[in-house]
Amino acid sequence: MSTQTYTPDQQTTGPSQPRRRHRVLAAAAAVAVAIGAVVLAVSVNVGNISIVAGWFPVFLFWVTVAVCVTAVVLRRDVLKEFAIGIPIGIALIALLFVGLRVTQAIPVGAPRSMYVWLSVTCLVAGLVAAGWRRARWGRRIAGLVAVALAVVSAGSAANQTFAYYPTLDRLLGQNANHFLDNAQLTSMRRDAARSGKLPDHGATLSVAIPGKNLTSTPRPAYIWVPPAWFGRTQPKLPIIILMHGTPGAPADWTRASFADATALAFAEQHQGMAPILVMPDINGSPFGDSECVNSTKFGAIETYLTKTVPAFMRKNFNASTAPGSIATAGLSEGGTCAMTLALTNSKDIPVFANYSGLESPTYLQDKPEQTIQTLFGGSQANYDAHNPPYLLAHEHFTGMASWFEAGAQDAEALPAARALQPLAAKAGIDTCIATPPGTHSFDFWTQAFRDSLPWLSWKLKLTPQPRSIPAQCTNSKA
């Protein structure tokens, strides 16, 4: 009788290995199905899918949890790989959070859930790295997909708070409604002149507005023109300079806050008339923070916004040259900018709207002393000359009008608005203030612009006084 012996390599080909292989293949299939479901979901009626509310964030959450659990559980030696992978993940978490703190890349108000998902990303990445050599490709793919989905979920958590990309079409690149290039704009004007009829919509363009004495080239501005702009007798319309925040870009106003849709709805109620909207670059980069002042760090930003941009609009878009035909408005940093620019250039800019801005120019999240050093060359006098509370307390402004709006749940902007409005009224400025429910988000800024646009157009002497406005307004008696 012969005796058969088994080597260790032969033993590993027993029944347990096919079961392991089947589990890995099943996991890979589950990942593929999940990805396919996401692709199918986002391919159907893309434009109407909200990614900040409704079913999509819930769907993404559970798909991510399922794939992460699958990727973590399916491993040959769980205890050994956990013992190696978890310390790696913790080290990655520490490095990530130190980097975010140093670079100040995360905006104030980011949700805790975003930090949780970033931590999950690091832990899963550590576990994937620990088991990479021993893993088959099915488990490797599951791990990589789990890391990717955790990153996406972190971004989704932040996006649900700030509504930076409200819908899938905005995430996938649609920055505005009726986005035209110069040739299409010319054709549209020609058609309107030939027919004698105004178009049923406005147009948004991306236009380079060159500047001088700036430390970086401004990103292209966005410009929206109303239907009336296409008339045979082109009216000289006033302009509203809309300013974004940080992190941010000119496209924020149309991509996330739908300023073009709001302005078109307003124009439809006024025979196609509305102010021209110009959305310039105020920072030179996504994470810059110029506070719209002239400084060594950013160059002549204030001059660019108050002189260069209006001159460009008058030359190229037939904007009004009449006194009092410019208003500034902005969100977050841009709200502070709108107020500061108007107060320091009150003869040219007599109207401003501040949506969720702070009381004073603040570089990133620095203290006043650091802001003074970074943006004002260490000069307290220069800082005071651009600090709204100081200006409102020491100067008198005649013929100006201001709008303050901050969300009732915005812990920083709400007290700022409530402090600034009475100071402005005391300084001789007509004021309006609104504090509806809302946070520091693009959803709120969409509503704030919609609330104030009829008032802004009236103050710019383009359309009649609105019958009612959702704000408490005070006419200065001084």
Side-chain angles (χ1 to χ4, degrees), residues 31 63-72 117 120-121 124-125 128 139-153:
V31 171
V63 167
T64 305
V65 169
V67 174
C68 285
V69 169
T70 302
V72 168
W117 277 118
V120 169
T121 301
V124 173
V128 170
R139 185 154 65 92
R140 289 177 178 178
I141 292 171
L144 293 175
V145 172
V147 171
L149 284 175
V151 172
V152 171
S153 292

Side-chain angles (χ1 to χ4, degrees), residues 113-200:
S113 55
M114 185 198 71
Y115 294 101
V116 171
W117 277 118
L118 289 176
S119 300
V120 169
T121 301
C122 293
L123 289 173
V124 173
L127 291 170
V128 170
W132 187 264
R133 290 186 61 187
R134 295 162 54 88
R136 295 182 180 273
W137 276 108
R139 185 154 65 92
R140 289 177 178 178
I141 292 171
L144 293 175
V145 172
V147 171
L149 284 175
V151 172
V152 171
S153 292
S156 177
N159 192 49
Q160 289 175 64
T161 296
F162 298 112
Y164 197 73
Y165 295 104
T167 57
L168 275 170
D169 59 351
R170 302 294 162 151
L171 177 64
L172 298 176
Q174 182 179 344
N175 286 335
N177 300 328
H178 308 296
F179 199 90
L180 306 182
D181 58 27
N182 286 330
Q184 292 169 322
L185 185 73
T186 301
S187 176
M188 192 171 169
R189 290 191 67 182
R190 188 183 301 116
D191 292 343
R194 184 183 304 114
S195 67
K197 295 181 179 179
L198 297 180
D200 59 2

